[in-house]
Amino acid sequence: MRLTLFTIILFISLTGMSQTGRETRIDSLESALRTAAHDTTRVNILSELARSYGGIDSLKCFENGFKAIALSKKINYLKGAADSHINLAGGYLDYFDVENAKKYFKIGNDFADKLIAKDSSAQNMKIWLRGQYNLGVAYGYEGNVEKEIAYVSKTIPIAQKMGDKMFVANGNTNLAIKYNNMSRFDKAYEMFKISQEQFKEIGNPEDIIYHSLSFATSLAQMDSLDRMKSVLDIAKTNLDKIPNSFYVGLYYGELGFYYGRSGEFDKALKALDRSSEYYKDHKSNYYFKLLYQRYADIYDKMGNFKEAKAYTLKYINFSDNEHSVNDKIGSYYKLAKYEAGLNDYQQAYSYLKGYVTALDSVRASELENDMQELEIQYKTATKEKEILALKNEKNETALALEKKKSQNYMLWAIASVLALILFIGYYGYNSQLRKARKKEQKRETEVSLLKQEQQKQLFLAMIEGQENERKRLAIDLHDGLGGRLSGISLNLSKLNKDEPKEYPKAKLKKVMKDLDDSLTELRTIARNMMPETLIKFGLKAALKDYCSSRTGNDTKVTLQFYGTEKGIDLNQQVTMYRIMQELINNAIKHAKASEILVQFIRDNNKVDITVEDNGIGFENEDRSSKVKGMGISNLKTRVAYLNGKLEFHSEMNEGTTANVQINLDAT
């Protein structure tokens, strides 16, 4: 029973929302759905609604989940398909439908694998992590703890690398719970202490309560009551900060369990009463069933067999939950004990018969399984012996016939075969040697021509890029800075010609302003030629500076930089800077974007660059004509210089995403 409680506490926490905040979030999502202008937005909202309704309204959870799946399929929205399947699977897990949960987790995880293969941004990685993690939780529901630990252990290092502290803390707590259920108490205690510090650093009271209750339950199994009480006190301190927390009933249930183990029965009953009152207002059949069991245990220890019997009957007759055979065995045995304590030996005998019958059914089932397994092994062994005997007999007959034939043909066959082998070998060797030489010469010629063509194309592209850069610089100098300086010269000449009698303060002020504007434009041109910030402070600082300079009243450019530029050659950093500069300029100039997200993610020797905008976009079939005027040649040249890959993904009125993948080992 303790293992099931662990699992439920864990999954409630991992849904990412406390009960107190769900109503507000659901209202906000429902309102946003009514005003959503695009199908992708509707998919995202429907999927999040399915997740939010999980555990509180099954009808709306599944209704929104299936709508999100259908719409994402209709518009071929990969991210929506992954997220909606995973959230729907979470809904099934909320209602303990493990088979359907696993089914939809696996489908969602397949979509998530394809998603991060195309775009491994932090947002997409979180979807992948949630799917992998909760599939492990589903296996844990089935009792496959080893598989659950494998899935959870796989996700924690990735989440830690992304800086997702909450995910890491939840994951370590789950591992602690699993190790505890496997009776690996030292390992469980170690993991609980690690996650306790992580939740303390995060500082969210609701999450600290969740962790403390899980830890306390584990300590009870370790028979560490003193430490259990200190951890429950931590839960109570944080519970006082959130009076309407979902964990109120759980806390008092665990507190009652502690007092019952400590022999303070009056305090135990009062705590269980507080828990029971909470669940009367917040329906949970599972917890009522658990509370009945705890009431019975405490009354049993107090020697009050009448009350112990009453609560055990409530537990065994609970209509909304099926009991396992082991539950029935334990309950019948306790009822027999209580009836004997109440001097009703006839009823005690009746319950004892039920206990023996249930126990015999388990033993009979186990015996039948053992007999079937032995029968299968016997039949398999018998068949294998028969097959082996037939094979041996057949092999002996075949061997005798083969010996006879070999005696008749051996002498002349050997000579003929040897002669034929020598002739074929000699002829074949010469033929293969000639073919190999011709093939090698042809391949070398093709490779040489291909390299020449590639070098020619790369050289032409570099020349074209340099000429375009010179042309742009000339236009900036002539039309921009040149025009300003000409105006300044004209104003100064006119001022000299007019020979003013008074000090021309206003006119000189205008000339000074024009000079300041000219200096600003000169700095901009210089920064475009070679960003000084990059030389002095590195790629991250240069990108931050450039994104800030491109942010204005009509455009917001956001930079997310994960990893470090250390170890990247300066020429490579400059090339990466130019690539992102070109993509940002395209988003502003051509896509008319108001929001631009720039991501730089470095994982060891792999670099992923993503520039995503909310601009006008373009259809896939119109891609070549659209990107032709967006400096695609320069982009391809720079990406080719880094031995990288460049991909565009766009939809009309939905925006454009450009992805660049670079392997530093190959450059």
Side-chain angles (χ1 to χ4, degrees), residues 44-197:
N44 293 336
I45 295 172
L46 286 167
S47 180
E48 194 60 30
L49 278 170
R51 187 179 177 195
S52 300
Y53 277 119
I56 60 174
D57 191 329
S58 61
L59 184 63
K60 290 186 178 180
C61 170
F62 297 133
E63 179 184 356
N64 285 291
F66 283 116
K67 282 183 179 179
I69 289 172
L71 185 54
S72 62
K73 182 179 180 181
K74 179 181 177 183
I75 64 175
N76 196 25
Y77 183 28
L78 184 59
K79 178 181 175 183
D83 196 38
S84 56
H85 278 89
I86 289 170
N87 285 343
L88 181 65
Y92 278 114
L93 207 56
D94 276 326
Y95 297 99
F96 305 99
D97 187 345
V98 179
E99 285 304 315
N100 274 317
K102 285 168 55 182
K103 171 185 172 183
Y104 284 98
F105 273 134
K106 288 176 181 178
I107 296 172
N109 289 347
D110 287 341
F111 283 122
D113 287 339
K114 295 175 184 176
L115 178 65
I116 63 171
K118 292 185 176 181
D119 178 9
S120 58
S121 62
Q123 188 179 22
N124 293 342
M125 286 301 300
K126 285 183 178 180
I127 296 173
W128 183 89
L129 285 170
R130 195 169 71 250
Q132 294 290 323
Y133 187 103
N134 283 316
L135 178 57
V137 173
Y139 278 114
Y141 273 40
E142 293 181 323
N144 193 339
V145 180
E146 290 81 3
K147 204 161 189 175
E148 180 177 10
I149 289 175
Y151 272 96
V152 174
S153 299
K154 178 173 69 173
T155 59
I156 289 176
I158 299 172
Q160 198 158 16
K161 190 178 292 184
M162 292 172 60
D164 193 337
K165 295 181 180 179
M166 180 62 73
F167 192 101
V168 173
N170 277 323
N172 285 327
T173 300
N174 187 20
L175 287 177
I177 291 170
K178 299 309 160 188
Y179 286 129
N180 184 83
N181 292 338
M182 296 168 71
S183 298
R184 295 178 61 183
F185 297 126
D186 291 343
K187 187 68 174 176
Y189 185 78
E190 176 189 341
M191 297 304 296
F192 269 124
K193 292 296 288 183
I194 291 172
S195 57
Q196 185 179 48
E197 292 301 316

Side-chain angles (χ1 to χ4, degrees), residues 564-593:
T564 177
E565 68 267 30
K566 290 182 180 179
I568 302 178
D569 182 74
L570 180 60
N571 289 332
Q572 293 174 330
Q573 291 189 42
V574 172
T575 305
M576 293 176 189
Y577 177 89
R578 293 298 185 200
I579 289 170
M580 286 182 272
Q581 183 184 38
E582 186 71 24
L583 291 170
I584 293 169
N585 289 337
N586 285 342
I588 296 173
K589 181 178 178 182
H590 297 284
K592 314 296 183 186

Side-chain angles (χ1 to χ4, degrees), residues 118-122 124 558-560 580 583-584 596-601 607-613 647 656-661:
K118 292 185 176 181
D119 178 9
S120 58
S121 62
N124 293 342
T558 303
L559 173 66
Q560 295 179 350
M580 286 182 272
L583 291 170
I584 293 169
I596 303 170
L597 174 63
V598 182
Q599 289 185 329
F600 180 96
I601 302 174
V607 174
D608 288 316
I609 296 171
T610 303
V611 178
E612 183 176 355
D613 65 66
E647 292 181 353
T656 301
T657 300
N659 293 310
V660 180
Q661 295 181 336

